[in-house]
Amino acid sequence: MPHVTVKMYPGKTDAEKTEMAEAIAAALMASVGTAERAISVSIEDVAQADWEAQVYRPEIVGRPETLFKKPGYTLP
């Protein structure tokens, strides 16, 4: 039962977020054979000013063992 959390800058509409969640669910169904009923997706808006402290340092730099797709950027 995968649950995916997407953290991103604010600005997308609920319709765009729904479309993204459906695309993520479709990718999970195709890549790992998970049934749609088992998938959940949440989307959290994180202000650009808060990204480094709330996402980059604790989740990207601080948990490399859980990161399977690294970003193409670094922060100081």
Side-chain angles (χ1 to χ4, degrees), residues 3-68:
H3 173 73
V4 177
T5 301
V6 176
K7 296 183 180 184
M8 56 190 268
Y9 290 167
K12 300 296 182 189
T13 65
D14 284 351
E16 290 170 322
K17 290 176 182 180
T18 298
E19 184 177 334
M20 181 189 311
E22 293 298 329
I24 291 167
L28 285 169
M29 289 184 289
S31 64
V32 296
T34 302
E36 184 173 15
R37 71 181 183 281
I39 299 167
S40 55
V41 179
S42 65
I43 299 175
E44 299 176 20
D45 290 337
V46 178
Q48 185 174 357
D50 298 328
W51 188 262
E52 183 175 358
Q54 291 183 12
V55 180
Y56 186 74
R57 295 280 170 221
E59 296 187 28
I60 296 172
V61 175
R63 300 179 64 200
E65 71 280 2
T66 66
L67 193 62
F68 287 86

